[in-house]
C-alpha cells in the first residue's frame, strides 16, 4: 500500500506539472494602452514636493480574470529619469477588459526644469518593471517594458 500511495502521489505530481507550465505559458502579459494625449495630474502627496499622478491603462488579453497585486516601475520622460514607483494597489481585473493602474511619482521638478524638455510637444515616455498578479492559486510576476510618444495633458 505504501508503494501504491507513493506512485499515486508521483503520478499526480507529474500530471500537475505540465498543467502548471501550460497555465503560465498561456497567460498573456497585460498590454499598455496609453492614449496619445496622456492626462497627468499634479498634486501634493508629501510636504517636501508635489507629485504627479498618471492613470496607466492596460488591456487584459486573457480569457479569464486575474487579481492585480501591485508592482514596481522605473519611469522615464525622454532621457530624464522621472522616478521609481512602487504600486501597492490590489484589485480584480475582468477577462478581456481594459483596466487602470494608478501611478504616483515624485519627480525632482528642479532637475526636470533644467532638461529643457518641451512638454507642449510630444515626448517619449517609457517604463520598465514588474507587476504581480494571480489567477486562483497561481501567482505570477510579469515584466512590463513600454516606450511610446505622447502629448502630456497637465492638469492641476
Amino acid at each position: 500500500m505504501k508503494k501504491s500511495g507513493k506512485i499515486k502521489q508521483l503520478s499526480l505530481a507529474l500530471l500537475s506539472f505540465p498543467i502548471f507550465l501550460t497555465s503560465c505559458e498561456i497567460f498573456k502579459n497585460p498590454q499598455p494602452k496609453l492614449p496619445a494625449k496622456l492626462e497627468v495630474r499634479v498634486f501634493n502627496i508629501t510636504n517636501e514636493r508635489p507629485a504627479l499622478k498618471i492613470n496607466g491603462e492596460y488591456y487584459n488579453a486573457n480569457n479569464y480574470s486575474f487579481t492585480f497585486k501591485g508592482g514596481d516601475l522605473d519611469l522615464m520622460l525622454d532621457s530624464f529619469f522621472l522616478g521609481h514607483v512602487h504600486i501597492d494597489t490590489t484589485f480584480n481585473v475582468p477577462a478581456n477588459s481594459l483596466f487602470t493602474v494608478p501611478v504616483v511619482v515624485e519627480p525632482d521638478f528642479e532637475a526636470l526644469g533644467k532638461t529643457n524638455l518641451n512638454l507642449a510637444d510630444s515626448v517619449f515616455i517609457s517604463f520598465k518593471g514588474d507587476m504581480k498578479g494571480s489567477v486562483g492559486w497561481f501567482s505570477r510576476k510579469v515584466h512590463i517594458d513600454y516606450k511610446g510618444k505622447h502629448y502630456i495633458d497637465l492638469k492641476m
Side-chain angles (χ1 to χ4, degrees):
M1 286 242 182
K2 286 185 179 182
K3 192 174 187 179
S4 174
K6 287 184 181 181
I7 291 174
K8 284 182 183 179
Q9 287 179 343
L10 183 60
S11 297
L12 183 60
L14 289 173
L15 287 172
S16 299
F17 189 67
I19 292 170
F20 173 74
L21 288 178
T22 303
S23 69
C24 290
E25 288 179 18
I26 62 170
F27 182 80
K28 300 171 192 158
N29 287 4
Q31 298 299 311
K33 298 289 184 187
L34 301 179
K37 192 173 190 179
L38 188 61
E39 184 177 297
V40 177
R41 293 206 173 268
V42 177
F43 69 102
N44 194 10
I45 193 165
T46 67
N47 292 332
E48 289 81 41
R49 62 178 159 190
L52 298 176
K53 182 178 181 186
I54 306 160
N55 286 323
E57 203 163 285
Y58 292 84
Y59 179 69
N60 176 14
N62 297 290
N63 291 326
Y64 43 86
S65 64
F66 72 93
T67 302
F68 178 87
K69 294 189 171 183
D72 288 282
L73 296 172
D74 288 326
L75 282 80
M76 301 285 293
L77 190 59
D78 280 344
S79 61
F80 179 76
F81 178 69
L82 206 53
H84 177 80
V85 176
H86 175 72
I87 304 164
D88 61 359
T89 306
T90 300
F91 55 89
N92 188 47
V93 177
N96 300 305
S97 67
L98 286 173
F99 64 100
T100 302
V101 178
V103 175
V104 176
V105 62
E106 293 181 38
D108 182 346
F109 284 101
E110 186 177 330
L112 180 59
K114 293 177 183 175
T115 63
N116 294 325
L117 281 171
N118 182 3
L119 296 180
D121 198 6
S122 61
V123 292
F124 277 100
I125 295 174
S126 61
F127 50 89
K128 285 184 183 182
D130 295 310
M131 292 187 177
K132 295 172 267 182
S134 66
V135 176
W137 31 284
F138 292 108
S139 289
R140 183 165 177 218
K141 190 181 279 190
V142 295
H143 185 71
I144 303 291
D145 189 353
Y146 175 81
K147 293 177 185 167
K149 198 169 191 173
H150 297 273
Y151 289 94
I152 304 292
D153 184 12
L154 199 57
K155 305 268 182 175
M156 297 291 184

